[in-house]
Amino acid sequence: QSVLTQPPSASGTPGQRVTISCSGSNSNIGSNYVFWYQQLPGAAPKLLMYRNNLRPSGVPDRFSGSKSGTSVSLAISGLRSDDEADYHCATWDDSLNGPVFGGGTRLTVL
Amino acid sequence: QVTLRESGPALVKPTQTLTLTCSFSGFSLTTSGMCVSWVRQPPGKALEWLALIDWDDDEYYSTSLKTRLTISKDTSKNQVVLTMTNMDPVDTATYYCARIPPPGKYYSGMDVWGQGTTVTVSS
């Protein structure tokens, strides 16, 4: 059972906009920055978003992040087939004194 | 170029101790704010954070696993070592090490990951 809650799956067609949610509590998302990781099949995770809504160099602006209270969302616009991957949210938890992850959301591009 | 590479046994027996080494290049763990973290992923399951060590020798452990884990660093060799005692089949997973750059663990994500090493626990 993951500390952060994500839907197990999401889907969309090419060109569509999809959002993936991640919810937590005051001790984690509510008081710390959130990060998103993209994990392509058979690969290691890759940092996709940091400090809630900042993109590392090389991540297209089709990816965006937002935060409200104890929940965050990752939005992907102009969906492409190579966006098909697992997406994980993560943040620091003050009560656990360490990083926590969501259960991951598998995005399927139909 | 920043790289990390995990190494260790692919197979361990139940009750044995697992020792994994993360060898890295392109950065120094003596730089203020720098951290290295270990994360694992059982087959088909979620990422699970295990341990973290920072430039200042502070160690952080998963509360559920802290009695079994030890993390250490050798800055002269650019290595971080994780030991996990009393291995069980449920510990079968891919184990990753990842860098957390300055300004540090609250502000920076795990920006570079190793390729991971798969560990199977079986008799």
Side-chain angles (χ1 to χ4, degrees):
Chain A
Q1 191 82 357
S2 300
V3 173
L4 306 181
T5 301
Q6 296 181 239
S9 64
S11 63
T13 56
Q16 258 191 336
R17 181 178 186 271
V18 298
T19 61
I20 297 171
S21 62
C22 172
S23 64
S25 66
N26 289 329
S27 68
N28 44 64
I29 292 178
S31 50
N32 291 291
Y33 288 117
V34 174
F35 311 97
W36 287 93
Y37 299 91
Q38 178 193 57
Q39 188 175 25
L40 296 172
K46 166 194 165 185
L47 182 64
L48 191 68
M49 199 78 56
Y50 66 103
R51 293 185 215 168
N52 304 331
N53 57 10
L54 300 181
R55 290 183 305 276
S57 173
V59 174
D61 60 6
R62 299 187 298 106
F63 294 88
S64 61
S66 64
K67 176 178 172 179
S68 177
T70 59
S71 294
V72 293
S73 291
L74 174 71
I76 310 171
S77 60
L79 199 61
R80 297 166 41 133
S81 59
D82 57 0
D83 295 330
E84 197 160 271
D86 293 330
Y87 293 84
H88 309 270
C89 58
T91 186
W92 187 269
D93 190 295
D94 294 333
S95 298
L96 300 174
N97 203 27
V100 290
F101 286 93
T105 297
R106 177 149 295 178
L107 175 64
T108 301
V109 181
L110 303 169
Chain B
Q1 181 190 4
V2 173
T3 64
L4 300 96
R5 186 183 75 251
E6 307 87 352
S7 59
L11 178 67
V12 297
K13 291 179 169 35
T15 75
Q16 286 187 333
T17 293
L18 171 68
T19 299
L20 295 174
T21 300
C22 176
S23 301
F24 58 87
S25 63
F27 68 96
S28 174
L29 243 185
T30 62
T31 300
S32 179
M34 195 73 73
C35 311
V36 169
S37 190
W38 284 93
V39 176
R40 72 178 179 181
Q41 187 174 35
K45 295 190 176 181
L47 299 172
E48 179 185 17
W49 172 71
L50 300 176
L52 180 155
I53 191 164
D54 69 16
W55 86 103
D56 207 20
D57 280 326
D58 290 325
E59 302 165 20
Y60 301 81
Y61 295 100
S62 163
T63 54
S64 61
L65 293 168
K66 64 186 304 180
T67 60
R68 298 173 53 205
L69 296 173
T70 303
I71 191 170
S72 62
K73 64 182 173 76
D74 185 331
T75 53
S76 65
K77 293 183 178 179
N78 281 350
Q79 290 180 337
V80 172
V81 175
L82 181 75
T83 61
M84 180 180 291
T85 61
N86 195 22
M87 293 294 285
D88 184 272
V90 299
D91 296 314
T92 293
T94 298
Y95 288 74
Y96 298 99
C97 61
R99 182 186 83 152
I100 301 175
K105 55 189 179 294
Y106 305 118
Y107 309 101
S108 311
M110 299 178 195
D111 70 335
V112 182
W113 295 62
Q115 64 187 18
T117 186
T118 300
V119 178
T120 300
V121 184
S122 174
S123 54

